[in-house]
Amino acid sequence: MSSITIKVVQSKAELKKFVRFANNLYKGNNYYVPAIVFDELSTFDKKKNGAFEFCEAELYLAYKDGKAVGRVAAIINHKANERWQVKQVRFGWIDFIDDIEVSSALLDAVSAFGKAHGMEQIVGPLGFTDFDPEGMLVEGFDRLSTMALIYNHPYYPEHLKKLGFGKETGWLEYRITIPEKVSERYYNLAEVVKERYNLKILKLSRREILKQGYGHKFFELINQTYCNLYGFSLLTPKQIDSYVGLYLSLIDTRMITFVENDKGELIGAAAAIPSLSVALQKCRGEIFPFGWWHLLKAMFIKRPKTLELLLIGVRPDYQNCGVNSLIILDLAERFREMGFQFAETNAMLENNDKIHAMWKPFEKEQHKARWVFGKELL
């Protein structure tokens, strides 16, 4: 029986192998969507990723017979641990061949890292923050993945269960059919909400978003909206700067909606993007030398019929006031004008009734589910 060797990623060459490992593992898989390679490399760069201000991490590659057969990141998010009063080490970016010795060795390495830093529990898949890929797919293995979320083989969760991990929390995802015409009732509700709370919808150009600081306002709103969701840690100014640059470089601003109150305060916002799944499959996540063309084409030239709903947030004091209806109505109209027929939601916590209720008026299919697994460190 061949032994498994675990190596800490230290060099740039090893980091590139770590980042590209999944692309090789899933070669030929019709549902896996590669991450953007240069973005992944930046995620693990301590100078570029603001999460390293409050996180520490170690990356591992597993080898068998001299060949890379698995990878995993061990992460301690000190801010999240303090916020939630836990001592957790996270495992993320976990991929492995169907060999229980490999998955066991990878998770043992994360556990050892956690114990060395005084942690008491191992949980994952989670990233540095909620804006990294999280949650292991447990349902929907035969559905095309999205740019923002994890795809994994069906044997992954089976390995975790065999290794003594249990469910910590779960997310659901929907495929929404964009209606040809939104119900008149929705229009009436939107008008009532606007008048009652003195709200207005803003559609801004990229230049206006940058010049007037709406990119930063958006992510500050996300901080307020998501602060009580599982494992969330507030974004720092450095992280917000990074996300503003990334999202604004990708998004068609027609697919961003802002809602302000009569004081000029941003109280709601949402952003979506044409699905880049097929484009990323074509270029295997490599932007250079020619991969950028596939992405540009999908975003602005020959858009797919499906879009991805990236972020939606409503300030806590305006939740349950119908603000979501304003946002969804505005976006639904524009989505149809742009030729979209379907929308993929982001992962939504199973117990987040408010966000699930938002999709009740629409024809939808709950087609994917994912879990975070956990285990006590003994």
Side-chain angles (χ1 to χ4, degrees):
M1 184 180 294
S2 300
S3 61
I4 309 302
T5 302
I6 300 293
K7 294 184 178 180
V8 178
V9 172
Q10 295 178 316
S11 68
K12 288 184 179 180
E14 289 170 334
L15 178 57
K16 289 179 180 179
K17 180 178 286 189
F18 179 94
V19 166
R20 292 188 172 97
F21 175 79
N23 287 358
N24 296 322
L25 181 66
Y26 288 95
K27 189 174 182 179
N29 185 293
N30 292 327
Y31 309 111
Y32 167 74
V33 174
I36 298 174
V37 172
F38 86 82
D39 186 45
E40 291 279 270
L41 292 171
S42 295
T43 296
F44 298 111
D45 188 327
K46 294 182 180 180
K47 295 179 181 178
K48 295 180 180 179
N49 187 353
F52 279 101
E53 294 175 355
F54 51 88
C55 292
E56 51 189 311
E58 200 160 72
L59 311 182
Y60 306 102
L61 282 166
Y63 290 86
K64 184 175 183 178
D65 298 325
K67 180 182 177 182
V69 290
R71 69 170 185 175
V72 72
I75 301 165
I76 298 175
N77 182 324
H78 294 288
K79 183 188 288 187
N81 281 352
E82 182 179 354
R83 164 70 176 83
W84 299 101
Q85 293 297 293
V86 293
K87 294 182 178 180
Q88 295 178 339
V89 59
R90 302 176 171 199
F91 66 88
W93 287 273
I94 186 167
D95 289 289
F96 47 84
I97 64 171
D98 191 4
D99 183 334
I100 196 73
E101 289 189 353
V102 175
S103 54
S104 178
L106 288 167
L107 290 164
D108 283 348
V110 177
S111 297
F113 179 82
K115 287 180 182 179
H117 290 78
M119 299 298 106
E120 298 175 351
Q121 187 185 30
I122 174 173
V123 295
L126 291 168
F128 294 94
T129 73
D130 267 20
F131 287 83
D132 295 318
E134 58 186 8
M136 184 173 286
L137 198 66
V138 296
E139 176 188 325
F141 302 106
D142 60 347
R143 305 301 290 263
L144 182 64
S145 190
T146 61
M147 178 182 72
L149 297 171
I150 294 171
Y151 180 83
N152 54 263
H153 286 303
Y155 63 78
Y156 280 33
E158 297 309 312
H159 279 225
L160 271 289
K161 293 172 187 176
K162 288 178 182 178
L163 293 171
F165 285 79
K167 180 183 178 183
E168 284 286 305
T169 192
W171 289 273
L172 301 176
E173 297 164 48
Y174 296 112
R175 181 172 175 82
I176 310 290
T177 298
I178 299 170
E180 290 286 349
K181 182 174 176 58
V182 179
S183 166
E184 194 66 33
R185 177 176 171 275
Y186 228 63
Y187 283 98
N188 295 336
L189 174 60
E191 286 304 314
V192 169
V193 171
K194 276 197 291 188
E195 291 180 14
R196 179 177 297 170
Y197 299 104
N198 293 314
L199 304 178
K200 61 180 179 180
I201 291 175
L202 299 180
K203 305 300 287 190
L204 304 173
S205 67
R206 201 177 312 276
R207 184 171 179 273
E208 288 172 326
I209 292 172
L210 285 171
K211 188 174 181 180
Q212 298 176 34
Y214 277 91
H216 287 78
K217 291 179 183 179
F218 192 170
F219 284 100
E220 287 161 4
L221 175 69
I222 294 300
N223 268 345
Q224 296 177 64
T225 305
Y226 290 14
C227 64
N228 291 319
L229 299 183
Y230 176 85
F232 188 79
S233 56
L234 296 178
L235 298 172
T236 66
K238 183 176 180 180
Q239 287 178 287
I240 290 176
D241 285 341
S242 175
Y243 288 131
V244 169
L246 174 64
Y247 280 82
L248 278 184
S249 67
L250 292 174
I251 291 180
D252 183 326
T253 55
R254 288 176 294 176
M255 301 176 76
I256 307 177
T257 294
F258 299 101
V259 181
E260 280 189 346
N261 61 18
D262 56 353
K263 297 177 182 177
E265 299 168 335
L266 185 66
I267 58 92
I273 191 173
S275 173
L276 300 180
S277 296
V278 174
L280 285 167
Q281 286 180 329
K282 288 179 178 178
C283 69
R284 301 196 72 203
E286 304 281 358
I287 302 300
F288 305 106
F290 304 115
W292 59 270
W293 168 246
H294 296 292
L295 300 181
L296 182 67
K297 185 177 178 182
M299 288 188 289
F300 300 109
I301 301 173
K302 189 177 180 181
R303 286 186 292 267
K305 298 298 182 183
T306 300
L307 62 92
E308 294 181 24
L309 295 161
L310 296 178
L311 293 169
I312 183 166
V314 175
R315 207 170 76 182
D317 54 330
Y318 279 87
Q319 292 174 6
N320 301 318
C321 295
V323 177
N324 281 339
S325 66
L326 293 180
I327 296 172
I328 296 303
L329 177 60
D330 179 76
L331 288 176
E333 291 178 330
R334 294 175 194 279
F335 292 160
R336 266 300 175 187
E337 290 172 2
M338 296 173 74
F340 294 109
Q341 297 177 4
F342 304 99
E344 291 277 348
T345 68
N346 216 322
M348 300 169 289
L349 284 166
E350 292 174 341
N351 60 0
N352 190 344
D353 295 333
K354 291 179 182 178
I355 196 72
H356 291 288
M358 186 167 65
W359 307 115
K360 281 186 178 179
F362 297 92
E363 180 185 342
K364 62 185 180 298
E365 176 192 7
Q366 189 267 300
H367 64 321
K368 296 174 191 170
R370 57 188 68 245
W371 291 2
V372 164
F373 288 84
K375 181 179 177 180
E376 299 303 310
L377 293 175
L378 303 176

